Amino acid sequence: MSRLPIALACLCPLSLSAAEPLRVGISDALTSPYMIEDPAADSPPRGRAIDLARSALRRCGLDARFLRQPGKRMVQNLGLDRLDSALLLSYQPPRRGLMAYPMRDGQADPSRRMATFDYAFYIRDDSDLSWNGARLRGLEGPVGINRGWSIERDLRELGLRVENGNAIGDNFAKLQAGRIQAYAVHRQAGDLYLRHHPELKIRRLSPPLLSKTYYWVFSRGYAHRHPRQTECLWRQLPRLRAAYLPDNG
């Protein structure tokens, strides 16, 4: 028997061993510039996170279907192996039993992150609230957040109450109307939204609230069945993220 078919098989792209497109989850709370809303329901997803993922997939000879889901459902579906992976999830020890992170020395490996983003507080221009990096002074009500975002746990650890909103536009509208006194969101997303909506009389407080590192995670089932594909995708991130998701850009 000729050895040529065997040799050619070794050169085939990784996708031959994972022919079905990856089912990649994207939180429905992600907003521009990471994920751009499109009014056409059948339009393909757009945004910097999608562009980064597609570039990595091409380098690894893989394809994917991107599925927008609520954050909690996305985490549950990863644990149930109903999703193969998800973009931009922060590392939390309880999640290690549900999903696979790029690991090093028993911790998530920040060198293979998708991005690191600052969170910041936003308040109305006429607000007297002040933030010294440890305490939000003058707050009498809850802080607005995007539903399903992990910042909820961090704010509760600061002793703050939170109020979930559906998206960045919803929370900024509530803030402008005085229904919440402050809103905590990624600085890059918040600043971009305000540049596009100069009619809002809202400002950002300094210093940043905190920084969070975000990863491309995989279901444990997919990572076990396709370790080469998983490692290949993680390996692309250090060279790609500066072009698509620069830290605190």
Side-chain angles (χ1 to χ4, degrees), residues 47-234:
R48 292 185 186 177
I50 301 295
D51 293 341
L52 183 154
R54 284 187 169 137
S55 181
L57 288 159
R58 284 194 299 270
R59 288 170 178 256
C60 295
L62 298 168
D63 197 6
R65 289 187 299 119
F66 295 93
L67 306 168
R68 295 205 80 180
Q69 299 183 351
K72 289 184 179 180
R73 184 190 304 168
M74 191 169 67
V75 170
Q76 291 171 348
N77 284 337
L78 284 166
L80 295 170
D81 210 16
R82 293 174 179 167
L83 283 175
D84 299 315
S85 71
L87 305 182
L88 290 172
L89 283 185
S90 61
Y91 175 76
Q92 298 178 26
R95 290 179 175 174
R96 284 188 57 181
L98 300 175
M99 60 194 74
Y101 290 83
M103 301 295 290
R104 184 179 65 188
D105 299 329
Q107 296 292 327
D109 182 0
S111 72
R112 293 188 288 173
R113 68 192 181 275
M114 283 195 78
T116 300
F117 299 130
D118 284 345
Y119 272 91
F121 286 119
Y122 290 82
I123 62 173
R124 287 167 41 132
D125 284 349
D126 59 1
S127 173
D128 293 328
L129 289 182
S130 63
W131 165 249
N132 63 6
R135 184 178 176 186
L136 191 59
R137 297 181 182 274
L139 186 70
E140 297 177 352
V143 174
I145 62 168
N146 286 10
R147 190 180 309 280
W149 283 26
S150 62
I151 189 65
E152 178 174 357
R153 174 181 297 183
D154 301 283
L155 293 175
R156 292 191 186 281
E157 288 178 353
L158 289 174
L160 302 176
R161 292 189 294 123
V162 301
E163 180 173 320
N164 285 280
N166 293 326
I168 191 169
D170 177 43
N171 274 303
F172 272 126
K174 288 162 65 176
L175 180 59
Q176 184 68 71
R179 292 166 53 197
I180 53 176
Q181 288 182 279
Y183 173 36
V185 70
H186 294 155
R187 177 171 63 83
Q188 186 180 28
D191 287 0
L192 179 63
Y193 189 89
L194 292 179
R195 283 201 299 272
H196 290 165
H197 295 84
E199 73 279 5
L200 296 176
K201 306 304 180 184
I202 290 172
R203 59 190 171 94
R204 169 168 46 87
L205 292 178
S206 294
L209 167 58
L210 53 79
S211 292
K212 276 184 174 285
T213 302
Y214 293 87
Y215 296 90
W216 188 343
V217 303
F218 293 82
S219 73
R220 290 205 160 272
Y222 183 88
H224 177 74
R225 293 189 302 271
H226 304 293
R228 288 193 305 141
Q229 288 84 349
T230 303
E231 284 294 330
C232 181
L233 291 168
W234 281 335

